[in-house]
C-alpha cells in the first residue's frame, strides 16, 4: 500500500504546469511524501523521480521553499533504510551544497529582531523553514557518512545561523548546537576542519557567557570532547603528527589570546557533578580531554 501511495504522490509531484492550482498540488504531494520517514520504500520506486524533481528545480526554480525542502526530507529519510543512497545524495544531487544555499537565503530574509509578543503570536514562515532545514540536515548527518569537503562549508552556514539567532531564537540555537555535536562526533571531519568552520571558536566564545543555561553548557562540553580527543591522539605518520602538533599550538594560542584557557579550566569544579548526572559520557569528561591540557 505504501509503495502505491508513494508512486501516486510522485506522479503528482512531477507535474510541470505553471499555474497556482498545479503548484499547490505539487506542494501537497511533496509534503505528504516528507512524512514517509518511518516507512521503508524500495529505491527503485522513487529514486529516478525524486532526482528529476530536485534537478528540475535547480534549473527552473519551480517549487516553493516548503515543497523543495519536503523533497529533500523524503530523500534523506530513506537513508535510515538504505545507505546505498549516500552516493546519490552527496555526489549526484549535492545535498550539502543545496542546504548551504537554502540556509543562507532563509537567513537573509529572516527578521532576527522580532519582538517576543510577535513571536508568540505567529512564527514567521522563514523561521519555520529554517527549523525544517535544520531537522533535515540533522537526519542527513546522523545517517550519512559519505561526506565531502562541502561539509565544512555547511557547518560554516550553521555557525552563521547560530550567531544571527542567539539573541532572539533559542530553539534555532539549540538545533544548531545539536548539529555541531553530530559533526564533531564523526571520524570523517577533522579537528582542523571544525576549526576552519568557525564552530570551535563559536563554542569557546559562548561557553563564557554568564547567561548560558545548563542544557546548553552540557551540549558545548559534549561538542568539545571529540575534537579535543582527536588532538590528543598521536599519529604514526610523521607529517600527520607534525600537522597535529601545529594545530594544537594554534588552538592553545587562540585560547590564551582570548582568555578561554582560564575559562575552560574554571569548569574543573563541575566535572564531578557532570559525571553524576550524565553517566553515559562519564568516561570522556576528564579535564585532560580539553584543549587547555591537550
Amino acid at each position: 500500500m505504501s509503495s502505491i501511495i508513494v508512486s501516486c504522490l510522485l506522479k503528482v509531484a512531477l507535474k510541470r504546469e505553471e499555474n497556482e492550482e498545479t503548484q499547490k498540488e505539487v506542494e501537497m504531494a511533496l509534503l505528504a511524501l516528507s512524512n514517509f520517514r518511518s516507512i521503508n520504500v524500495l529505491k527503485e520506486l522513487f529514486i529516478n523521480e525524486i532526482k528529476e524533481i530536485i534537478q528540475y528545480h535547480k534549473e527552473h526554480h519551480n517549487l516553493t521553499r516548503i515543497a523543495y525542502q519536503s523533497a529533500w526530507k523524503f530523500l534523506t529519510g530513506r537513508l535510515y533504510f538504505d545507505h546505498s543512497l549516500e552516493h546519490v545524495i552527496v555526489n549526484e544531487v549535492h545535498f550539502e551544497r543545496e542546504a548551504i544555499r537554502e540556509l543562507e537565503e532563509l537567513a537573509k530574509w529572516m527578521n532576527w529582531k522580532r519582538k517576543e509578543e510577535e513571536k508568540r503570536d505567529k512564527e514567521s514562515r522563514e523561521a519555520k523553514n529554517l527549523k525544517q532545514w535544520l531537522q533535515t540536515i540533522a537526519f542527513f548527518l546522523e545517517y550519512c557518512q559519505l561526506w565531502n569537503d562541502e561539509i565544512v562549508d555547511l557547518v560554516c552556514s550553521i555557525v552563521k545561523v547560530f550567531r544571527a539567532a542567539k539573541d532572539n531564537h533559542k530553539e534555532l540555537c539549540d538545533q544548531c548546537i545539536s548539529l555541531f555535536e553530530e559533526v564533531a562526533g564523526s571520524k570523517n571531519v577533522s579537528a582542523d576542519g571544525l576549526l576552519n568552520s568557525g564552530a570551535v571558536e563559536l563554542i569557546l566564545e559562548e561557553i563564557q557567557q554568564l547567561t548560558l543555561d545548563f542544557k546548553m553548557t552540557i551540549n558545548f562540553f559534549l561538542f568539545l570532547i571529540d575534537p579535543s580527543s582527536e588532538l590528543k591522539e598521536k599519529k604514526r605518520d610523521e607529517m600527520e603528527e607534525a600537522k597535529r602538533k601545529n594545530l594544537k599550538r594554534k588552538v592553545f594560542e587562540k585560547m590564551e589570546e582570548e582568555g578561554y584557557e582560564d575559562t575552560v579550566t574554571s569548569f574543573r569544579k563541575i566535572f564531578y557533578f557532570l559525571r553524576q548526572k550524565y553517566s553515559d559520557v562519564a568516561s570522556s569528561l576528564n579535564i585532560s580531554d580539553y584543549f587547555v591540557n591537550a
Side-chain angles (χ1 to χ4, degrees):
M1 181 64 73
S2 61
S3 298
I4 294 171
I5 294 172
V6 167
S7 297
C8 293
L9 290 172
L10 284 169
K11 186 176 180 179
V12 175
L14 282 164
K15 289 184 177 182
R16 299 285 184 254
E17 294 87 347
E18 294 184 6
N19 58 67
E20 187 176 345
E21 184 179 349
T22 299
Q23 188 180 51
K24 196 66 179 177
E25 289 179 3
V26 170
E27 183 175 285
M28 294 302 293
L30 289 171
L31 276 169
L33 282 169
S34 70
N35 289 296
F36 270 73
R37 280 192 172 179
S38 61
I39 301 173
N40 190 12
V41 181
L42 290 176
K43 180 170 65 176
E44 292 74 18
L45 296 175
F46 67 83
I47 191 62
N48 291 330
E49 289 83 354
I50 203 69
K51 282 169 58 179
E52 183 180 340
I53 290 167
I54 290 171
Q55 295 286 18
Y56 189 85
H57 176 75
K58 287 182 184 181
E59 297 173 11
H60 301 90
H61 306 286
N62 64 309
L63 301 176
T64 60
R65 285 195 182 278
I66 190 65
Y68 189 49
Q69 191 276 329
S70 297
W72 279 112
K73 188 176 179 182
F74 170 75
L75 181 55
T76 56
R78 314 272 59 79
L79 280 170
Y80 177 79
F81 302 100
D82 187 353
H83 283 277
S84 70
L85 289 168
E86 290 180 333
H87 177 76
V88 173
I89 292 172
V90 174
N91 297 323
E92 292 188 34
V93 289
H94 304 286
F95 173 79
E96 293 135 309
R97 191 179 305 169
E98 291 301 293
I100 291 166
R101 185 181 57 77
E102 289 290 318
L103 288 182
E104 292 182 352
E105 283 293 316
L106 286 166
K108 189 188 304 181
W109 291 104
M110 272 284 289
N111 179 5
W112 293 111
K113 297 182 179 180
R114 294 182 76 201
K115 296 179 180 178
E116 283 298 320
E117 55 267 26
E118 291 176 339
K119 287 195 293 182
R120 283 195 300 269
D121 210 26
K122 187 177 180 181
E123 187 175 45
S124 72
R125 181 181 298 178
E126 291 80 13
K128 289 179 180 178
N129 285 340
L130 259 177
K131 287 180 181 178
Q132 288 294 319
W133 265 105
L134 292 174
Q135 288 173 9
T136 302
I137 292 169
F139 206 86
F140 167 76
L141 293 177
E142 183 176 0
Y143 292 106
C144 183
Q145 293 299 311
L146 186 64
W147 303 344
N148 57 30
D149 293 340
E150 290 176 342
I151 194 68
V152 174
D153 295 329
L154 178 57
V155 177
C156 283
S157 294
I158 299 168
V159 168
K160 291 175 184 176
V161 170
F162 182 96
R163 289 191 182 281
K166 72 174 186 177
D167 293 329
N168 215 14
H169 291 268
K170 185 178 182 302
E171 190 175 345
L172 284 173
C173 290
D174 288 341
Q175 284 184 274
C176 291
I177 293 300
S178 296
L179 295 179
F180 295 150
E181 285 180 51
E182 196 69 49
V183 175
S186 172
K187 298 300 181 184
N188 294 343
V189 180
S190 65
D192 196 13
L194 284 174
L195 284 169
N196 291 334
S197 73
V200 172
E201 187 174 20
L202 171 67
I203 298 300
L204 292 175
E205 289 174 9
E206 292 299 313
I207 211 166
Q208 296 187 96
Q209 302 302 313
L210 296 176
T211 56
L212 201 63
D213 63 36
F214 180 76
K215 180 182 177 182
M216 194 166 280
T217 302
I218 293 296
N219 287 337
F220 286 157
F221 273 118
L222 292 174
F223 169 84
L224 288 171
I225 287 170
D226 293 295
S228 59
S229 297
E230 182 180 330
L231 288 179
K232 286 178 62 182
E233 294 176 0
K234 293 184 178 180
K235 310 294 182 182
R236 293 182 180 180
D237 183 90
E238 290 185 8
M239 290 184 65
E240 285 295 314
E241 175 61 11
K243 182 179 177 182
R244 182 187 72 90
K245 287 182 178 179
N246 185 52
L247 184 58
K248 284 176 63 177
R249 179 183 57 77
K250 287 181 180 179
V251 174
F252 185 85
E253 288 176 356
K254 178 64 180 176
M255 292 182 66
E256 193 173 46
E257 175 188 341
E258 301 293 339
Y260 299 146
E261 180 187 353
D262 292 338
T263 302
V264 175
T265 303
S266 70
F267 280 95
R268 182 193 297 267
K269 294 181 180 179
I270 71 167
F271 276 16
Y272 175 76
F273 175 71
L274 294 179
R275 289 194 186 97
Q276 297 298 312
K277 189 165 182 65
Y278 290 86
S279 57
D280 56 325
V281 295
S283 60
S284 298
L285 286 172
N286 297 303
I287 192 67
S288 60
D289 283 340
Y290 291 90
F291 291 128
V292 64
N293 287 326

